Amino acid sequence: MYTGYNLEDRVFLAVDCIIFGFDDEDLKVLLIKRDFEPEKGKWSLMGGFLKSNETLDDAADRILHRLTGVHDIYQEQLYSFSDLDRDPVARTISTSYYAIINIEKHNEELIQQYNAQWFSLADIPDLIFDHNEMVQKAIRRLRRRTSINPIGFELLPEKFTMRQLQKLYEAILDKELDKRNFINKINSMDILIKLNEKDMTSSTKGSFLYQFDQEKYDKKKGDNFYLKL
Amino acid sequence: MYTGYNLEDRVFLAVDCIIFGFDDEDLKVLLIKRDFEPEKGKWSLMGGFLKSNETLDDAADRILHRLTGVHDIYQEQLYSFSDLDRDPVARTISTSYYAIINIEKHNEELIQQYNAQWFSLADIPDLIFDHNEMVQKAIRRLRRRTSINPIGFELLPEKFTMRQLQKLYEAILDKELDKRNFINKINSMDILIKLNEKDMTSSTKGSFLYQFDQEKYDKKKGDNFYLKL
DNA sequence: ACAAAAGTGTTAACGCTACACCCATGG
DNA sequence: CCATGGGTGTAGCGTTAACACTTTTGT
């Protein structure tokens, strides 16, 4: 018996963002120390409430911008969490997003303003509510995405060395990879451009820099190939 | 500046279910013909609103039960849709779930009560709101899940022939498979029990029936192997 | 005897893995 | 001249894909 929407419940809908970054060594997550209730003083994901005039994607973008100062960060919706008591203050559903960001490109001031801090995956503290679960789910998703879609674009500077790319994959997959096999596999994807330019900071010999070939990359994205690393 | 939850917006949160079934030939989706506004007379997914005292999973289960008479159907959360004008009546977010069900096990009366009908993937009509998009996303997800996890359990009768299983995979992947290679790959997963029993309806010779080995199946589920078909 | 589906193995191509040595340069 | 990271190729193995004929039995 349909009676119109009036009799239905409305709920708070939050958006929480798992923000991944990479610092040439570790895969990291950006967390904020809450200086507001509830759970003041504990670490948490950056989040906010969905406003009725924005989409979830918009909300995620707004929240990411608030903390990083950057717009159009790569983001993807992860999962909607709805345990009855997940938020002790009020019945709140949370749709989580994960984002990947070049760790150098955020705004330092904003980070400080929010008491934010990058944590290596191994050092993630107890978070409020179900945020640890969100992070774990995001890591699993990121790992799986790695074998279906090229990533890296979003986590690395524009020009990077093979070594950096390899370290990134190693950090994501939490697994050491063979240098030569890695290069072969990456090259077989045919999405990189080798530049006539070397990075001299990492060794005396210097290592060639690469760029993603945006066009080829975009084309591959639709293909859903499977890359075994 | 945190000001409490009072100033935040609340929204309607709907749950819509893509229900997959298999009839030995085609993969199908169960749709209902709406006899209520808005969009009365059009086809749509079965859905409902989240109540404030239930989780999204609960809501999906409730909705699935309402239409099929069955509880504990296999279900998985798919995605939350939030376009501003996706529902013309009121601002509503919808979290979609897809479910897979043995097509013989639903309750015929309920199906009739709701004017429900099974549609082959190729024949899906125009649906209300963004429901077509939901269905397409569900199909993609189901396809991908096929290569990561064994499925079939939920879509087939308890005892089934290799041919049925192969047809199921072919229907999901929309792709013809080689009989011998298929059997080898399925056997290599080691999750089937060959019964000493034949199904005589499909041929004069008769074909052996199989069952899933629930225990082994559950064990594999966590493993996240990759099955290439 | 024939029609209709079931059942069964082999081979060739390909892709993946494992593996070790020389190179260039700055200090 | 040496220490450090960069760069490069191959052979063996395992996996996958392609492929066709025989079996059974009801009519």
Side-chain angles (χ1 to χ4, degrees):
Chain A
M1 312 319 85
Y2 187 72
T3 51
Y5 288 15
N6 296 332
L7 299 181
E8 307 294 344
D9 297 333
R10 287 180 202 242
V11 294
F12 291 117
L13 187 47
V15 172
D16 290 302
C17 297
I18 297 99
I19 305 173
F20 289 110
F22 178 65
D23 71 352
D24 276 15
E25 270 311 316
D26 280 328
L27 190 61
K28 302 202 162 174
V29 173
L30 188 57
L31 300 173
I32 63 171
K33 190 163 193 168
R34 291 167 73 96
D35 64 349
F36 49 86
E37 294 298 341
E39 301 270 20
K40 186 169 170 170
K42 274 188 89 171
W43 291 97
S44 91
L45 295 170
M46 185 72 179
F49 287 93
L50 180 77
K51 298 182 188 305
S52 56
N53 62 350
E54 67 182 359
T55 65
L56 287 164
D57 283 4
D58 290 342
D61 190 67
R62 172 169 59 77
I63 288 160
L64 289 167
H65 176 77
R66 191 145 40 109
L67 179 56
T68 64
V70 185
H71 269 302
D72 296 322
I73 293 173
Y74 178 88
Q75 61 175 64
E76 195 176 308
Q77 188 188 303
L78 184 63
Y79 197 80
S80 297
F81 292 82
S82 62
D83 274 0
L84 293 181
D85 51 358
R86 56 173 299 283
D87 180 333
V89 176
R91 172 72 171 141
T92 305
I93 312 303
S94 171
T95 299
S96 52
Y97 275 73
Y98 75 94
I100 46 191
I101 185 178
N102 184 324
I103 211 163
E104 288 161 8
K105 273 199 190 145
H106 57 250
N107 181 320
E108 198 53 45
E109 283 176 36
L110 288 170
I111 297 270
Q112 278 169 16
Q113 202 179 110
Y114 283 100
N115 287 306
Q117 197 176 305
W118 289 98
F119 286 85
S120 291
L121 296 192
D123 307 329
I124 293 172
D126 263 351
L127 305 177
I128 63 160
F129 305 172
D130 45 8
H131 286 194
N132 286 92
E133 195 187 337
M134 292 180 179
V135 171
Q136 290 314 312
K137 206 173 181 91
I139 294 170
R140 282 202 301 277
R141 181 89 135 242
L142 181 61
R143 266 183 200 150
R144 191 169 306 164
R145 239 187 66 91
T146 290
S147 33
I148 293 176
N149 245 237
I151 53 157
F153 238 133
E154 303 86 358
L155 283 157
L156 291 173
E158 201 184 348
K159 299 171 180 182
F160 53 87
T161 65
M162 270 293 172
R163 191 83 196 131
Q164 280 178 288
L165 187 61
Q166 186 183 339
K167 287 240 177 195
L168 169 59
Y169 273 88
E170 289 181 337
I172 291 174
L173 298 174
D174 190 26
K175 180 172 158 180
E176 298 212 340
L177 301 171
D178 180 87
K179 186 166 51 160
R180 281 164 296 185
N181 292 340
F182 180 76
I183 291 174
N184 289 338
K185 284 174 186 177
I186 294 293
N187 282 337
S188 75
M189 284 198 283
D190 188 31
I191 50 166
L192 291 188
I193 302 169
K194 188 175 190 169
L195 302 175
N196 256 333
E197 215 180 319
K198 284 193 163 188
D199 167 54
M200 304 304 295
T201 63
S202 63
S203 75
T204 58
K205 185 178 179 182
S207 57
F208 280 104
L209 289 166
Y210 292 80
Q211 260 184 331
F212 284 97
D213 185 326
Q214 180 88 49
E215 205 176 316
K216 286 182 180 169
Y217 182 97
D218 288 341
K219 225 175 279 177
K220 297 263 162 166
K221 251 188 176 169
D223 290 2
N224 261 11
F225 64 94
Y226 182 72
L227 171 68
K228 192 175 179 189
L229 291 170
Chain B
M1 304 312 88
Y2 185 75
T3 52
Y5 289 13
N6 296 332
L7 300 181
E8 306 294 344
D9 297 332
R10 288 182 201 239
V11 294
F12 291 115
L13 187 46
V15 171
D16 289 303
C17 297
I18 298 99
I19 305 173
F20 288 110
F22 177 65
D23 71 350
D24 275 15
E25 269 311 314
D26 281 327
L27 190 60
K28 302 202 162 175
V29 173
L30 188 57
L31 301 173
I32 62 171
K33 189 162 194 171
R34 291 166 73 95
D35 63 350
F36 49 87
E37 295 298 341
E39 301 271 20
K40 184 169 170 172
K42 274 188 87 172
W43 292 96
S44 93
L45 295 170
M46 185 73 180
F49 287 93
L50 181 77
K51 299 181 188 307
S52 56
N53 62 351
E54 66 181 359
T55 65
L56 287 164
D57 283 3
D58 290 341
D61 189 68
R62 172 169 59 78
I63 289 159
L64 288 166
H65 176 77
R66 191 143 43 107
L67 180 55
T68 63
V70 186
H71 269 302
D72 298 321
I73 293 173
Y74 178 87
Q75 61 176 63
E76 195 176 307
Q77 188 188 304
L78 185 63
Y79 196 80
S80 297
F81 293 82
S82 63
D83 274 2
L84 292 181
D85 52 359
R86 55 174 298 284
D87 180 334
V89 177
R91 173 71 170 143
T92 306
I93 314 303
S94 169
T95 299
S96 53
Y97 275 72
Y98 75 94
I100 43 188
I101 184 178
N102 183 327
I103 212 166
E104 289 161 8
K105 273 201 192 144
H106 56 251
N107 182 319
E108 198 54 44
E109 281 175 38
L110 289 169
I111 298 270
Q112 278 171 15
Q113 199 179 111
Y114 283 101
N115 286 306
Q117 196 175 307
W118 289 97
F119 286 85
S120 291
L121 296 192
D123 306 328
I124 293 171
D126 262 354
L127 306 177
I128 64 161
F129 304 174
D130 46 7
H131 287 195
N132 286 92
E133 195 187 336
M134 292 179 179
V135 172
Q136 291 311 314
K137 208 173 181 91
I139 294 170
R140 283 201 301 277
R141 181 89 136 245
L142 181 60
R143 267 185 199 146
R144 191 168 308 163
R145 239 188 67 92
T146 291
S147 34
I148 293 174
N149 244 240
I151 53 157
F153 237 137
E154 303 85 358
L155 283 158
L156 290 174
E158 201 184 345
K159 300 173 180 181
F160 52 88
T161 65
M162 270 293 172
R163 190 81 195 135
Q164 280 178 291
L165 187 62
Q166 185 181 340
K167 287 242 178 192
L168 170 60
Y169 273 88
E170 288 180 338
I172 292 174
L173 298 173
D174 191 24
K175 183 173 155 181
E176 297 212 341
L177 302 171
D178 179 90
K179 186 166 51 162
R180 281 163 296 183
N181 291 339
F182 179 76
I183 291 174
N184 287 337
K185 284 175 185 175
I186 293 293
N187 281 338
S188 77
M189 284 200 282
D190 188 31
I191 50 167
L192 292 189
I193 301 169
K194 187 175 190 170
L195 302 177
N196 256 333
E197 212 179 321
K198 284 194 163 188
D199 167 53
M200 304 304 295
T201 64
S202 62
S203 76
T204 59
K205 187 177 176 182
S207 57
F208 281 104
L209 288 165
Y210 291 80
Q211 259 184 333
F212 284 97
D213 186 327
Q214 181 89 48
E215 204 177 317
K216 286 183 179 168
Y217 182 98
D218 288 342
K219 226 176 276 176
K220 297 264 162 163
K221 249 187 175 167
D223 291 0
N224 260 13
F225 63 93
Y226 181 73
L227 170 69
K228 192 174 178 194
L229 291 171

